[in-house]
Amino acid sequence: MYRLILSVCLASVTPFIGFAQQKNMQLWFDKPAYQPAVFSYSAPEFQNTFHFGKRGWVEALPVGNGRMGAMVFGGVLRERIQVNEETIWDGYRRNTDNPEALKALPEVQKLMFAGKNDEAEQLASKTLMGKPLNIRPYQPLGDLFIEQLNPSGDTTYQNYRRWLSLDSAVAVTQYKHGGKSYRREVFASHPAQVIVVRLTADQPRSINVRIRLQREQDATTTVSPTDQHRLHLRGRIARTDETSGQPVGMRFVSDLQAVTPNGEVSVDSSGLMTITNATELTLYLAAATDYAAPNPEQRSAETLQKALNQPISMLWQRHLIDYRSLYDRVKLSFSPDADHRELPQDARLNRLKTKLVDDPYLSALLFQYGRYLMIASSRRGDLPANLQGIWNQTMRPPWSSDYHTNINLQMNYMAAEVTNLAECHEPLFDLMDSLSIYGRSTADKMYGARGWVVHHLTDVFWRTSPADGVVGVWPMGSGWLAHHPYEHYQFSGDKKFLRKRAFPLMKGAAEFYLDFLKPIPSGLPMAGKLVTNPSHSPENAFEKADGTQFQFTYGATMDTQICRELFTNCLRAIQELSEPGKPVEAEFKRELEVALTKLAPVQISKRTGGIQEWIEDYKEPELGHRHISHLYGLFPADQITVATPALFEAARKTLERRLLGNPNASTEEAQNRYKSYGSYLNGESFGAWQGVWISMMWLRLGQAEQAYKHHQYQLKYGFYPNFFGSAYQLDGTYGSTAVVAEMLIQSHTGVVNLLPALPKNWSSGFVSGLRARGGFEVDIQWKDGKLITGSITSINGGLCRLMSKDAISILREGKPVKTKRSNSNELVFTTQKGAVYSVVGR
């Protein structure tokens, strides 16, 4: 039944304008993900936060429904399915604002302007940090094990294959063992809010398995008190209120139901389920916590029962319809002759590393995989995707698997709008709504400022005060986050959203900076200009003339660029919301305009010719530092473009110089005060979020081949076999989708630029369903590097400004459309809401 439905749905992939079709999108393997002979939570991957194994979990395949996630290992005699529920976090909601900060802040600022960086840092570490200093981590729900009952000792198997179908959001494992063929399918249903595991065999009564549902700590599994065929996991994170001593840890529940038409199911008192003599078996897994449900046991049981009330065929079909309503919006291909069955995923990636062959199919697969993960981890009404999306197997994940707001969280959502997944962007706005409430207290109590503020990280309890140490005194997270709701408006044109949601968030963030910015005292460079104080250029250091090195400073260029973007976008929003004779926010508008005239400008270094990273032209102790924060104005902002030629050229020099690095770093940078966590060298990068950022910057500079080179580095060095990031983070995976999209379409300047940075190795292909700012949906077909045909659908009507390096004509219903050629060589024409315009290469 499953296979029939799946084959029908895969056959219905819609071709692009009649003559091109996307390849099947599958991550497939010819062997199971590694599992030890004896599973133990005492293994290094569970006990050591920064133990990054190269097999096992990073070979498993993820499924998710936005709230629940699972990693499918594809075992034969024993299957492990590791499970998450997005709200299971250690910790609890409390006020972390430091009451000493408000009094100490002026002294910290005074010391900083006086050049006493060390004294300022020491005082800040004592008075400006939130209490407690750190947050608690995101945790797993547990592990589901399915083990063959009374194995014969024969461990050989044949015809093995497992895959994740991006087209249908299902993980499949199939093999032959003991002369019998078995198939296991796992999917996470968003409509039903359950994870489903389906087992079938080609011979009657061949499924005999033992099932365990367990967790490393803080939980027990028993037979359900309401159903003898059900496992019931129940627990509470062992956390007490530091003041009252009362338990405050998250309570959570999970229920697992086994359904088989002809087998026998039993559960013993220890919570061990046994199924015998089954030809087919379906497992339904539900879960809930008291984060959003006062009674998680009731919520889990009700969710499970609703799923059980549906025939499995209907539950599967509803899952598929829901998923594909999002996923099928965008199709693409760069490799008309590629065979997705050519090599397993791990071998395909390894070939890219060792044989230096180009594989355009992998780029297309990665693009759609990023979209798949976004749909699987960020659905309307749920939490946003964290550092690891929703997939985490350990109680001690790296960086707490939290929300890092100094690039990582933002990178997760860089592709949401352009790849037609605007609904998946909404959980980020929900988080911002909550942060804006609690961030007002931090702004007021710690800074004496209006508005709201977030520093470099947060969690599901909405921490907004600095964390982790002085490096956390970076109050720019709210400013960068404010980029996102305005970007949503730029793509959608939804003025109700702008008025009711985006602008209030933007205004609150801007009010904080209007109060936080300080004029540089007389006698210092750029005296009188407004700067942030204190400040960081994230994780990078500078060296003063006397040889002393610091990270803590004032007026980092990135801060200025974030403020400038936010203030400018607020003014744009005010203009959009005002009507003739009915201006809005007049006083706030004047504040913004005055601040913009006084804000410290972006400077070009006389020493290097690049963008200056700090208010003064300091020496860099680490030439190849992995952060390039001072190019925020190039990307993601739109402050540095071809319309600002001096800054545009300086940005190019900055990127080239940083990537060139220092070939003598081992000796010349050996005595640096701050540890290096990886420097660029010889123009190369090493994947992860850094590779995405570099590629996006090259794309904004119009350098297709440079961007493509670093995209290839991402594929070679940035991923495990399952496309998870090298440190388990998924920002580089989500972000790579944005890289591919930006090669095909750009619109950050208000112009819809078709194929602005097409790599030579993608000489022929198509894409359909990408979105552009201004409210347009775009399809493009190209051959031999030239645009052949395409279409533009106008969502809202209005003016379309179009650019292509190839000569094009615009038609509507076969008739030429009146266009004008602008001074900057744009093709400008008026569109009607809902109309489709053909783009024809000449």
Side-chain angles (χ1 to χ4, degrees):
M1 175 173 57
Y2 255 15
R3 277 169 279 184
L4 174 61
I5 294 172
L6 181 58
S7 62
V8 169
C9 290
L10 287 179
S12 66
V13 173
T14 304
F16 169 75
I17 52 180
F19 52 80
Q21 188 167 327
Q22 177 175 275
K23 302 288 182 180
N24 287 343
M25 291 289 157
Q26 290 185 0
L27 280 75
W28 73 272
F29 297 83
D30 59 2
K31 56 182 178 294
Y34 169 77
Q35 296 187 62
V38 178
F39 178 85
S40 172
Y41 287 120
S42 63
E45 58 264 35
F46 297 107
Q47 298 301 316
N48 185 347
T49 295
F50 292 100
H51 176 86
F52 300 117
K54 295 184 178 180
R55 57 181 184 171
W57 195 74
V58 295
E59 300 169 304
L61 296 172
V63 297
N65 61 18
R67 185 178 62 87
M68 295 181 69
M71 296 291 284
V72 183
F73 282 65
V76 176
L77 299 182
R78 183 182 67 199
E79 169 67 303
R80 177 189 175 202
I81 300 176
Q82 184 267 312
V83 187
N84 289 98
E85 202 280 350
E86 66 172 359
T87 62
I88 300 180
W89 284 66
D90 194 358
Y92 57 99
R93 173 64 207 161
R94 52 182 159 175
N95 184 356
T96 61
D97 296 339
N98 190 330
E100 299 178 68
L102 188 58
K103 181 179 178 180
L105 180 62
E107 182 62 20
V108 171
Q109 294 171 329
K110 181 180 177 181
L111 290 168
M112 196 66 75
F113 281 138
K116 299 178 181 181
N117 301 64
D118 264 335
E119 291 182 44
E121 182 170 335
Q122 290 170 17
L123 181 58
S125 68
K126 297 175 183 177
T127 59
L128 300 190
M129 303 311 305
K131 294 184 176 183
L133 187 61
N134 306 112
I135 65 168
R136 300 289 180 177
Y138 174 55
Q139 292 188 353
L141 171 62
D143 289 282
L144 172 64
F145 288 98
I146 305 171
E147 300 168 323
Q148 183 171 318
L149 196 61
N150 301 320
S152 63
D154 178 11
T155 60
T156 61
Y157 53 89
Q158 303 84 35
N159 302 334
Y160 181 90
R161 185 160 173 165
R162 65 185 175 99
W163 67 90
L164 174 66
S165 169
L166 306 186
D167 303 307
S168 302
V170 60
V172 181
T173 304
Q174 61 183 30
Y175 55 88
K176 190 171 185 178
H177 178 257
K180 301 175 182 178
S181 294
Y182 297 90
R183 182 180 176 97
R184 192 184 312 97
E185 296 154 309
V186 184
F187 67 94
S189 167
H190 179 256
Q193 289 294 295
V194 294
I195 293 172
V196 179
V197 184
R198 173 84 165 163
L199 295 83
T200 55
D202 69 340
Q203 295 184 30
R205 302 186 177 278
S206 297
I207 298 174
N208 297 277
V209 294
R210 180 182 296 115
I211 296 174
R212 291 180 290 128
L213 182 61
Q214 65 185 52
R215 192 174 194 265
E216 179 180 350
Q217 62 189 46
D218 302 333
T220 57
T221 303
T222 62
V223 61
S224 170
T226 60
D227 192 319
Q228 296 301 302
H229 292 173
R230 182 179 300 178
L231 291 179
H232 182 69
L233 182 146
R234 180 182 183 185
R236 183 172 196 171
I237 295 174
R239 181 63 50 202
T240 57
D241 187 293
E242 293 182 0
T243 303
S244 68
Q246 295 299 309
V248 289
M250 193 87 69
R251 292 187 295 120
F252 53 90
V253 170
S254 183
D255 290 294
L256 178 76
Q257 181 86 36
V259 176
T260 176
N262 58 353
E264 292 82 43
V265 180
S266 64
V267 181
D268 67 21
S269 59
S270 68
L272 192 65
M273 177 182 284
T274 303
I275 292 95
T276 56
N277 299 320
T279 305
E280 60 183 70
L281 169 68
T282 306
L283 305 176
Y284 299 81
L285 184 70
T289 77
D290 65 354
Y291 182 80
N295 188 336
E297 295 209 13
Q298 181 180 347
R299 174 69 63 87
S300 178
E302 289 177 350
T303 300
L304 182 61
Q305 192 57 52
K306 288 179 181 178
L308 291 169
N309 290 341
Q310 304 176 54
I312 184 62
S313 59
M314 180 180 295
L315 194 146
W316 161 254
Q317 196 163 27
R318 287 176 174 172
H319 153 75
L320 200 60
I321 291 170
D322 168 79
Y323 170 73
R324 296 192 69 178
S325 70
L326 296 168
Y327 177 80
D328 279 358
R329 293 173 182 177
V330 177
K331 300 291 182 183
L332 83 171
S333 175
F334 310 135
S335 48
D337 299 324
D339 182 359
H340 72 279
R341 299 163 296 185
E342 181 183 4
L343 285 173
Q345 172 78 1
D346 51 348
R348 199 156 192 153
L349 283 170
N350 191 57
R351 181 179 66 176
L352 199 67
K353 296 177 186 177
T354 58
K355 296 187 178 181
L356 304 179
V357 299
D358 190 69
D359 191 344
Y361 174 77
L362 273 177
S363 295
L365 184 67
L366 177 57
F367 171 88
Q368 291 289 35
Y369 187 70
R371 295 183 70 246
Y372 165 82
L373 291 180
M374 178 57 60
I375 298 168
S377 64
S378 186
R379 298 297 293 270
R380 182 176 285 162
D382 292 329
L383 295 174
N386 62 45
L387 279 176
Q388 295 179 196
I390 51 173
W391 300 276
N392 166 43
Q393 69 167 341
T394 172
M395 303 293 170
R396 304 160 187 84
W399 298 282
S400 299
S401 191
D402 64 19
Y403 299 113
H404 260 56
T405 55
N406 61 351
I407 188 171
N408 313 88
L409 177 58
Q410 291 89 338
M411 186 170 286
N412 285 359
Y413 289 90
M414 284 178 180
E417 298 293 334
V418 68
T419 65
N420 220 330
L421 294 176
E423 297 94 328
C424 295
H425 211 168
E426 290 185 19
L428 180 61
F429 308 148
D430 293 339
L431 178 66
M432 290 176 66
D433 287 340
S434 297
L435 292 174
S436 70
I437 295 171
Y438 295 100
R440 284 188 179 276
S441 172
T442 302
D444 178 37
K445 304 301 183 185
M446 294 186 65
Y447 292 92
R450 297 170 295 166
W452 64 282
V453 65
V454 176
H455 292 77
H456 88 295
L457 60 76
T458 190
D459 57 15
V460 297
F461 305 108
W462 314 297
R463 179 177 178 133
T464 54
S465 61
D468 290 354
V470 174
V471 294
V473 184
W474 185 78
M476 307 309 298
S478 41
W480 192 340
L481 284 172
H483 170 94
H484 284 262
Y486 189 67
E487 183 173 70
H488 178 74
Y489 169 71
Q490 288 180 302
F491 276 87
S492 68
D494 184 347
K495 284 198 175 182
K496 182 179 179 181
F497 173 84
L498 179 64
R499 180 181 298 106
K500 298 290 187 181
R501 202 159 190 197
F503 183 71
L505 288 169
M506 295 161 63
K507 180 183 178 182
E511 284 177 326
F512 170 79
Y513 299 117
L514 288 170
D515 290 350
F516 177 60
L517 290 167
K518 299 299 177 186
I520 299 175
S522 60
L524 294 176
M526 307 293 292
K529 291 297 183 181
L530 293 175
V531 292
T532 52
N533 183 4
S535 173
H536 282 94
S537 189
E539 300 186 34
N540 202 6
F542 58 91
E543 185 173 303
K544 291 187 173 183
D546 62 3
T548 55
Q549 297 177 1
F550 304 99
Q551 291 181 334
F552 206 41
T553 185
Y554 68 88
T557 296
M558 183 191 205
D559 293 6
T560 305
Q561 292 173 336
I562 289 175
C563 289
R564 188 175 301 278
E565 179 195 39
L566 176 57
F567 294 173
T568 301
N569 285 344
C570 283
L571 289 173
R572 291 169 175 169
I574 289 171
Q575 183 176 355
E576 289 291 306
L577 295 174
S578 295
E579 299 176 6
K582 295 181 180 179
V584 299
E585 298 286 351
E587 184 176 343
F588 179 51
K589 179 174 180 285
R590 283 192 293 271
E591 276 193 274
L592 294 169
E593 290 170 339
V594 171
L596 281 170
T597 64
K598 295 181 178 181
L599 200 60
V602 176
Q603 301 176 78
I604 297 175
S605 167
K606 294 179 180 178
R607 181 172 52 88
T608 67
I611 301 294
Q612 200 166 291
E613 190 162 358
W614 293 276
I615 200 70
E616 296 187 47
D617 198 4
Y618 298 121
K619 178 183 175 182
E620 308 105 311
E622 185 183 354
L623 292 181
H625 193 272
R626 68 197 183 285
H627 282 259
I628 315 178
S629 304
H630 47 314
L631 293 189
Y632 181 96
L634 177 67
F635 178 83
D638 59 5
Q639 297 164 27
I640 301 175
T641 69
V642 291
T644 58
L647 292 175
F648 196 71
E649 176 62 16
R652 183 188 62 79
K653 290 180 179 179
T654 300
L655 196 51
E656 289 175 342
R657 186 171 183 271
R658 185 60 60 90
L659 291 172
L660 184 62
N662 184 357
N664 301 315
S666 60
T667 55
E668 294 178 3
E669 299 179 0
Q671 302 303 314
N672 284 355
R673 177 181 178 183
Y674 301 95
K675 182 180 178 180
S676 171
Y677 293 93
S679 291
Y680 303 121
L681 187 63
N682 299 325
E684 298 181 358
S685 61
F686 34 79
W689 61 264
Q690 300 98 319
V692 169
W693 209 359
I694 290 166
S695 289
M696 295 299 277
M697 290 174 181
W698 279 124
L699 289 169
R700 289 291 173 90
L701 291 167
Q703 300 294 313
E705 297 311 313
Q706 284 289 341
Y708 183 73
K709 179 177 76 171
H710 291 278
H711 170 64
Q712 292 299 300
Y713 289 146
Q714 182 79 276
L715 285 166
K716 293 176 184 178
Y717 312 124
F719 295 124
Y720 287 108
N722 63 0
F723 275 151
F724 274 41
S726 54
Y728 296 172
Q729 294 174 215
L730 287 176
D731 42 22
T733 311
Y734 293 117
S736 291
T737 298
V739 169
V740 173
E742 192 97 350
M743 290 175 172
L744 306 176
I745 187 171
Q746 294 180 19
S747 59
H748 58 285
T749 64
V751 178
V752 181
N753 195 343
L754 307 180
L755 304 180
L758 184 69
K760 293 178 182 177
N761 284 322
W762 299 349
S763 60
S764 298
F766 79 91
V767 66
S768 64
L770 292 181
R771 298 292 298 271
R773 293 169 184 84
F776 300 103
E777 188 166 311
V778 179
D779 302 345
I780 314 169
Q781 173 88 22
W782 66 94
K783 185 176 182 181
D784 298 328
K786 293 184 177 297
L787 188 150
I788 301 300
T789 187
S791 67
I792 295 177
T793 302
S794 179
I795 307 301
N796 302 315
L799 210 61
C800 179
R801 309 175 71 88
L802 193 64
M803 180 175 285
S804 171
K805 61 182 177 59
D806 302 309
I808 56 174
S809 299
I810 309 298
L811 307 175
R812 182 184 177 193
E813 298 177 349
K815 298 178 181 179
V817 173
K818 184 178 180 181
T819 62
K820 294 182 180 180
R821 182 73 63 175
S822 72
N823 293 335
S824 51
N825 207 32
E826 303 155 6
L827 210 58
V828 183
F829 57 100
T830 301
T831 69
Q832 294 184 11
K833 182 177 180 178
V836 180
Y837 298 84
S838 298
V839 181
V840 181
R842 291 190 276 119

